[in-house]
Amino acid sequence: MDVNGGGRRISSSGGNPERNQDGNPDDNAKRKGGIMPKWKIGVAVAAGLVCMLVGGLILLGAYSAFPWLMPDSLREKAQTSDTQVIHSMQRTKEVSLLRLGVTGIISRENKSHFFSMEIPGSERAQFIQYTFDAKLGFEGKDVVIEEAGDNTFDIAIPEFKFIGYDHPEYRIVVEQNGALSLGTQQIDTLDMVNNILTDKAKKEYVDSNRDILEEQAKSFYTSIVQSVSPDTKLNFTFQQAEGD
């Protein structure tokens, strides 16, 4: 309706003239996409997680194939523990006559084959330098001492043997892996070390030093006996290993 003819027009509906008939003005903004629907947010989060998972798998595969690419901060920190229990004890009467300082290099090489043909570039090689002190002597309880009369004694020395070793040190000085060595069997370093002191090697140490061992055995007992009775004479015999 009009008041005072051409005066101000007042809406017959009353209320705020700026509010539209649809109600709350924020409803239109929501309908026009002002806030992202929940299902779109869920899709975006899921896509992000999938991308992170795929990227992690790709990095894991790369680090497995090329371990040197892995940063030091991500590499596994190896921890080793050793618990030992002494369950028996036995007294020995071994006499050590000679100590040898041994140094050497042992090597091993593995290769892959296709039927009977060697695959070029598939070789793995490892060279280990080792040092230790070998102890040679005999079993003291097996020594036989008999009186031969006229202030003379016969002393029978048992077979010389490898008694043990001290101060072992091992280190890899050279390691070679061919371009196609990925499928070649890994070299067992521990097995190489265990094969350094074989029974054959121990026997060779004894055989190559037998003359010195006999002299040391004579000197050992002579010094003991003559410190008590300087006029006593000693005759020595040495037992040989079977097959010598």
Side-chain angles (χ1 to χ4, degrees):
M1 59 180 293
D2 293 336
V3 180
N4 297 328
R8 181 179 177 185
R9 176 173 294 180
I10 300 176
S11 172
S12 61
S13 62
N16 191 339
E18 296 178 357
R19 181 183 298 272
N20 57 40
Q21 295 182 358
D22 294 333
N24 192 336
D26 291 337
D27 292 341
N28 290 333
K30 291 181 179 180
R31 285 195 294 269
K32 293 179 180 179
I35 299 178
M36 182 180 294
K38 292 182 178 180
W39 69 270
K40 290 185 177 181
I41 296 176
V43 171
V45 171
L49 292 176
V50 171
C51 291
M52 292 176 61
L53 178 61
V54 172
L57 293 175
I58 292 175
L59 284 177
L60 182 61
Y63 290 155
S64 299
F66 309 99
W68 59 87
L69 296 178
M70 183 179 295
D72 293 339
S73 59
L74 297 181
R75 293 181 182 177
E76 180 180 357
K77 305 300 181 181
Q79 294 182 351
T80 302
S81 62
D82 186 4
T83 302
Q84 297 181 347
V85 176
I86 298 176
H87 58 81
S88 65
M89 182 179 296
Q90 180 179 4
R91 293 188 178 187
T92 63
K93 297 182 180 179
E94 294 173 330
V95 178
S96 177
L97 299 175
L98 190 63
R99 182 185 295 269
L100 303 176
V102 180
T103 300
I105 294 179
I106 187 173
S107 64
R108 179 173 295 178
E109 185 178 35
N110 290 343
K111 297 180 180 179
S112 294
H113 293 77
F114 182 73
F115 292 101
S116 60
M117 296 185 300
E118 177 185 324
I119 301 176
S122 65
E123 67 280 352
R124 290 182 184 269
Q126 195 173 92
F127 294 78
I128 296 179
Q129 183 183 46
Y130 59 88
T131 61
F132 60 89
D133 293 335
K135 296 187 294 183
L136 308 180
F138 58 86
E139 192 68 50
K141 63 182 180 61
D142 295 333
V143 175
V144 178
I145 302 177
E146 296 179 344
E147 186 175 1
D150 194 19
N151 200 25
T152 301
F153 291 87
D154 294 334
I155 300 180
I157 304 296
E159 176 187 351
F160 294 119
K161 67 177 185 177
F162 186 97
I163 295 177
Y165 61 92
D166 292 325
H167 312 116
E169 294 184 5
Y170 312 96
R171 66 187 184 93
I172 300 175
V173 292
V174 177
E175 188 170 18
Q176 299 175 345
N177 297 313
L180 302 179
S181 63
L182 188 62
T184 303
Q185 181 180 1
Q186 295 281 351
I187 295 177
D188 190 339
T189 301
L190 181 59
D191 181 63
M192 290 179 64
V193 172
N194 291 336
N195 285 329
I196 291 175
L197 281 177
T198 60
D199 291 339
K200 180 180 179 181
K202 294 177 181 178
K203 184 176 183 301
E204 289 177 353
Y205 288 135
V206 172
D207 291 344
S208 60
N209 294 279
R210 182 171 297 278
D211 293 341
I212 299 177
L213 289 170
E214 291 183 0
E215 292 179 4
Q216 287 294 100
K218 292 179 181 179
S219 176
F220 176 75
Y221 282 101
T222 299
S223 62
I224 294 176
V225 173
Q226 291 189 349
S227 65
V228 179
S229 178
D231 297 331
T232 300
K233 296 180 181 179
L234 302 177
N235 298 322
F236 291 92
T237 58
F238 296 94
Q239 180 180 346
Q240 300 288 328
E242 294 183 4
D244 289 350

